[in-house]
Amino acid sequence: MRTAYRCWAEVDLEAIRENLAWIRHQVGPGVQVLTVVKADAYGHGLRHIAARLMQSGTDIFGVANLVEARAIRAVGAGWPILMLGACLPEEVVDAVRDEVMPVISTAAEAREFANAARRQRRIVRAHLKVDTGMGRLGVDPGEAFELAQSLRQLPGLELAGLCTHFAAAEDDPDFTREQITRFREVVDALAAAGIRVPWIHASGSAALLNEESARFNLVRPGLLVYGIVPPGQRAVDRHLSSRVRPVLAWKCRVSLVKTVPAGVSLSYGRTFVAPRALRVATLTVGYGDGYPRAASNVASVLIGGRRCPVVGRVTMDQMLVDVSHVDPVNPGDEVVLVGRQGKQEITTPELAGWSGSIPWEILTGISHRVPRIYLGSEAA
Ligand SMILES: Cc1ncc(COP(=O)(O)O)c(C=O)c1O
């Protein structure tokens, strides 16, 4: 595709639909799916992604803040929205008014919400979080039963969910199972007391793949919705999860090609010296677009279907690659930073690995300067 763009991301909305369908198929009919769309839908563009997820039958949305929740409401009404982080005190009134479900860890938060709900003559549907080992949000498992009971006494507040979050679901099955056990004890205690909680949830993408027993009746995938398997998956899951496909491809262009003689240093800091005469292409991407500077001298890109190594430091708007082995390369040629070209593919986890990062950070780091081009959308 030849466009006037210097650096852009192509977002395949059909892949979103397929990935959600695959997730649904995996978890079966008894488990609902909350799709995590925080941070501008992991950098893919919240509006378009939310619209396609609505069409594709997501049950619930997960967001990080009220601005994201409002953006979803502007796309379509009626979907439950869970704010995954804790609400700030001054956000409580708006959260209640916007019917955003909060995650609650303390009796004080619960009281704030109940008071706001009563004043607005509304019911707030709260999810009680149990801290089984993440240490970020949630009540201690030993106090969870009591807190759940006291929440139920608060007029204006409904106990709509019980949840926890895994600290190392990608690569520490023993610790994850300890977390599941701690959570299940709370779930069982509530059930034994006849307390019915509509949504019980724990699993993001990695646990969804690895821990069938942790799906409860709702899963919360993010990365997998965008077609990326969390790093560190066990082989069997890697096979299974090859059924999702990446939604985003990241591209730029060649702006200049030149030959440099042996011994010449390239880019800031002179961290690369040409070992022989090289043909070097200048590209229209830099860290100002979100390309990780830590990938300097390590990453590769695709040009003409071949891998071309990044040489020298990534700069704000440009970077250099060695194209000595690719012929021809011309200004204007398309460069794939993440995605497929010919038989080659560079994945987001691969770019993350080159730069000491994680796929979540790479995706959410693609800057606003990079237009998102939607494929499979009438609004493209
Ligand atoms: C509480 C919570 N649940 C689910 C997710 C989704 O995680 P993943 O992208 O690994 O599926 C996140 C993401 O950060 C999260 O914070």
Side-chain angles (χ1 to χ4, degrees):
M1 182 169 100
R2 270 185 106 80
T3 71
Y5 300 115
R6 295 175 69 86
C7 179
W8 70 100
E10 290 172 8
V11 178
D12 182 350
L13 294 171
E14 182 55 16
I16 282 280
R17 189 194 62 74
E18 288 171 19
N19 294 341
L20 180 58
W22 184 83
I23 290 167
R24 275 205 177 291
H25 175 72
Q26 278 304 110
V27 299
V31 179
Q32 292 197 341
V33 181
L34 175 155
T35 45
V36 180
V37 293
K38 58 192 181 159
D40 204 24
Y42 285 37
H44 292 65
L46 177 54
R47 226 163 35 83
H48 285 85
I49 298 296
R52 185 51 62 103
L53 287 171
M54 287 173 183
Q55 290 163 8
S56 310
T58 189
D59 296 300
I60 306 177
F61 286 104
V63 299
N65 60 46
L66 296 178
V67 175
E68 294 172 348
R70 262 171 235 141
I72 292 172
R73 293 272 186 254
V75 173
W79 270 265
I81 300 178
L82 178 66
M83 182 159 149
L84 297 166
C87 261
L88 294 172
E90 59 267 40
E91 291 174 328
V92 169
V93 168
D94 287 348
V96 172
R97 191 202 52 221
D98 294 350
E99 295 181 4
V100 175
M101 299 188 289
V103 163
I104 282 183
S105 309
T106 66
E109 284 175 290
R111 279 194 301 273
E112 291 270 323
F113 272 100
N115 289 342
R118 277 200 306 277
R119 279 197 295 271
Q120 298 184 34
R121 298 179 194 282
R122 290 175 191 272
I123 300 288
V124 62
R125 294 191 291 168
H127 291 231
L128 175 61
K129 188 149 205 172
V130 185
D131 184 3
T132 56
M134 177 68 180
R136 188 169 64 173
L137 296 178
V139 60
D140 188 84
E143 295 162 22
F145 181 81
E146 204 180 317
L147 183 54
Q149 276 197 317
S150 64
L151 295 195
R152 281 162 37 89
Q153 310 303 320
L154 288 172
L157 195 137
E158 178 191 312
L159 182 58
L162 186 72
C163 57
T164 192
H165 192 51
F166 298 124
E170 291 90 15
D171 48 20
D172 193 339
D174 292 341
F175 188 71
T176 305
R177 280 169 203 160
E178 280 174 35
Q179 288 196 262
I180 295 169
T181 303
R182 285 177 207 137
F183 186 55
R184 193 169 282 289
E185 279 167 11
V186 179
V187 172
D188 290 347
L190 288 175
I195 299 173
R196 204 194 141 267
V197 185
W199 282 304
I200 300 180
H201 50 109
S203 294
S205 297
L208 187 159
L209 295 172
N210 291 337
E211 304 294 344
E212 211 176 316
S213 72
R215 290 175 183 165
F216 298 96
N217 68 359
L218 177 68
V219 289
R220 302 191 306 258
L223 204 60
L224 213 48
V225 174
Y226 305 100
I228 297 173
V229 178
Q233 291 307 116
R234 283 168 257 153
V236 58
D237 303 313
R238 226 179 290 127
H239 168 69
L240 276 175
S241 49
S242 63
R243 310 276 177 82
V244 294
R245 67 182 172 99
V247 172
L248 181 140
W250 191 7
K251 301 183 175 177
C252 73
R253 314 282 288 274
V254 172
S255 57
L256 192 78
V257 185
K258 62 178 177 164
T259 301
V260 299
V264 161
S265 66
L266 299 176
S267 193
Y268 290 129
R270 309 187 64 217
T271 57
F272 180 89
V273 176
R276 55 186 183 281
L278 297 178
R279 221 147 34 88
V280 173
T282 305
L283 309 186
T284 54
V285 64
Y287 61 77
D289 302 288
Y291 199 86
R293 184 172 174 275
S296 302
N297 289 311
V298 190
S300 290
V301 305
L302 301 177
I303 301 176
R306 310 280 300 273
R307 286 187 172 235
C308 303
V310 173
V311 287
R313 287 223 174 111
V314 173
T315 72
M316 189 183 289
D317 318 300
Q318 306 174 72
M319 67 184 198
L320 305 172
V321 292
D322 178 2
V323 292
S324 305
H325 57 303
V326 189
D327 199 29
V329 178
N330 292 304
D333 283 358
E334 184 173 296
V335 181
V336 169
L337 308 169
V338 166
R340 282 181 187 279
Q341 197 182 56
K343 294 197 171 96
Q344 288 284 334
E345 181 177 18
I346 291 174
T347 64
T348 302
E350 195 173 11
L351 176 56
W354 284 327
S355 50
S357 183
I358 52 173
W360 296 264
E361 188 181 39
I362 296 290
L363 289 174
T364 57
I366 301 174
S367 78
H368 289 304
R369 186 164 77 180
V370 179
R372 272 61 167 177
I373 310 302
Y374 293 93
L375 313 179
S377 155
E378 281 143 35

